[in-house]
Amino acid sequence: MRRDEMRQGKTKLELDRVVFIGRTYEEYMQMFDLQAKELAGKKILDCPAGACSFTAHAAAAGLDVTASDIAYDHRIEDLERKGLEDTAHAMESMEQTKRNFVWDFYGDVAGVSRHRHQALRDCVADMRAHPERYVAAVLPELPFCDEQFDLVLSAHFLFMYSDRLDYDFHRNTIRELLRVTSEEVRIFPLTDLSGNRYEHLERLIQDLEAEGLEVTENQVSYEFMINGNSMLRIRKTR
């Protein structure tokens, strides 16, 4: 077997274990309760960023943004194909579980689909035009310097997969996100895939506060998954 064939087989195997779906810039601004004026002049990391278009749109607006994800080690063409497959599958599943969601933002499943496809298109286009913005990394380790960023955003990963990622993984990952920021980390949402609040959240908050960090749970205007309308802000106090 040729080397490129071996590489393609390895990529397919790995991508089968990754869900490559993204959110739009507009969704991010609501999920993380962000204002454009507060982002000006800041260095921002989105991690894990998946197929989200926040980096593309924020950079187009003149912001300094980097996206990082385990999936970025693969060819853009493979990611685009996987994103289309994952979005189609997610929409099919959503049709069967509509009662588990709040529809104020999207209206219906077709509205969700439009946002997911737009995010994927914009993300892929920006990856092709500016590959330097998209950095492959496997949490809980990041290839960035201490306090390289001012703000770190982390969506739809931590807490959501608490059935397969234990408390130590969550704590170590948050510690790493904190290492690379000089100001704060924001995490959204605070629920698992079933819409239940992360069972160790109070313990986590206590552990972080014991380290001298300022931790607040903030309700946001965005809610899609039922009970998923809060984010965690972790701020360095020095």
Side-chain angles (χ1 to χ4, degrees), residues 202-228:
E202 278 64 38
R203 174 188 172 189
L204 176 64
I205 291 173
Q206 290 177 1
D207 287 349
L208 292 170
E209 289 179 336
E211 296 178 15
L213 297 157
E214 180 182 320
V215 186
T216 57
E217 183 178 339
N218 295 36
Q219 188 169 333
V220 299
S221 60
Y222 175 95
E223 182 179 12
F224 184 42
M225 289 185 61
I226 292 177
N227 299 322

Side-chain angles (χ1 to χ4, degrees), residues 59-76:
L63 299 176
D64 187 345
V65 188
T66 298
S68 186
D69 196 281
I70 189 174
Y72 296 160
D73 194 35
H74 303 293
R75 298 187 308 172
I76 297 174

Side-chain angles (χ1 to χ4, degrees), residues 159-190:
F159 311 144
M160 295 205 75
Y161 300 97
S162 55
D163 60 330
R164 63 202 80 170
L165 301 173
D166 63 16
Y167 181 81
D168 285 343
F169 178 87
H170 280 78
R171 183 65 194 90
N172 291 337
T173 295
I174 292 173
R175 182 178 287 118
E176 182 70 350
L177 297 178
L178 285 163
R179 179 186 68 79
V180 302
T181 184
S182 62
E183 296 181 7
E184 69 172 295
V185 173
R186 300 189 187 187
I187 302 170
F188 178 91
L190 309 184

Side-chain angles (χ1 to χ4, degrees), residues 96-140:
Q96 309 303 318
T97 58
K98 290 181 180 179
R99 67 180 65 184
N100 297 333
F101 302 94
V102 178
W103 294 98
D104 295 346
F105 185 90
Y106 302 103
D108 53 23
V109 175
V112 180
S113 180
R114 285 193 295 272
H115 275 80
R116 298 293 176 268
H117 281 94
Q118 188 65 57
L120 178 64
R121 285 194 297 270
D122 293 346
C123 175
V124 167
D126 198 55
M127 291 179 76
R128 290 192 171 106
H130 300 281
E132 71 281 358
R133 293 177 185 157
Y134 298 84
V135 180
V138 181
L139 291 168

